[in-house]
Amino acid sequence: MKNEQSMEVNDSSGGYFILMGFSDRPQLELVLSLFFFVLYTITLMGNMTIIILSFLDSRLHTPMYFFLRNLSFLDIGFTTSVVPQMLINIWGHNKRISYVGCLVQYSVALALGSTECVLLAVMAVDRYFAVCWPLRYATIMHQRLCHLLAATSWFSGFANSVLQSSLAMVLPLCGHRQVDHFICELLVIISLSCVDTRSMESKMFIARLIILAIPVSIILTSYAHIAWAVAKIRSAEGQRKAFGTCASHLMVVSLYFGTIMFMYLQPKNNYSQDQGKVLALIYTIIAPTLNPLIYTLRNKDINRAMKKVMGNT
C-alpha cells in the first residue's frame, strides 16, 4: 500500500486520493456517519419543504422567501457535494476518491459556499429595506431586482471558485495521496504540494478575504441601520415585531460566518487538522441542517403555509 500511495498524482486522469476522515477512531467514525446521515436527511427534508411551500403558497411570493428559496437550494447542493461521498468512503471497502472527483467536490463546495456568503448579504439588504423603508419596500425590491441580486450572488460564488480552484489545479502533488480529512478541502489539498505555495496561498487568501469581507461589511452596515430604526420605534411590541423579521437571518449569519471566518482567516500556524475537521463539519453539515429549522420553527408564514398545504385550514 505504501508504494501504491507514493505514485505520482500529477497525472490527473488516473490519480486518486485517500480520504482518511476519522479512520484513526473507527468506532467514532461509524457513530458519526450515522449521525451525519440523519442530519443529511433532515437537511434535504427541511430545505425541500421550504422550497415547495414558497412555490405553492402565494403569500410566500415575496422577496424574503425568494431569497430563502435560493438559500435552501444552496444548502441542499452544498451538503450533497460532501455527505454522500463521505458516507460511501466510510461504509465502503476503501476510502478512495478520484482526482477528478476531488476536483469537482472542492470546486462545487467552494462555489456554493461562496454564493451563500453573498446571498446572506443580499438577504440583509432585503431586511434593511423591509424595516427601514416599509412603505417603499415593495417598489424597491421588485422582482427584476431580486432576480438580479440572486444572479449576482451565484455568479460571484462560482467566479471565486473558478479563480481559487484553477490556482490549485496546477500544483504538483508529487505522489501525496493521503488526505487527513473527510472531504477534499482546498486548503488540505494545497498542503500536499511539494513546491513553495506561499505566493499562491497569498492570492487565495485575498480572494477569500474579498468574498468574506464585502458581504460581512454589507451585513454589519445593514443591521446598524436596522438597529437605529428599531430604536426609534416607541412601542416595545413594534420593536419586537421589527426585530423578529431579522432574528432568523441573524442566527444563520452568525453561525455560518463565525465558522468560516475562524477557519479560513486565521494564521496558518494556528491551524490544526482536528480543528479544521470540526469546523468543516459545522459549516458543511450542521449549519445547512439548522438553517431550515431556524427559519421555520418560529415563522408564522411558513407554519400557516404548511397547514394550508396539508389541508388543515
Side-chain angles (χ1 to χ4, degrees), residues 124 127-129 131-132 221-231 242-243 246:
R127 293 300 83 206
Y128 160 73
F129 284 120
V131 175
C132 299
T221 302
S222 297
Y223 275 105
H225 284 89
I226 289 172
W228 180 254
V230 171
F243 185 74
C246 308

Side-chain angles (χ1 to χ4, degrees), residues 211-222:
I211 204 68
L212 288 173
I214 294 178
V216 167
S217 299
I218 293 173
I219 291 169
L220 292 176
T221 302
S222 297

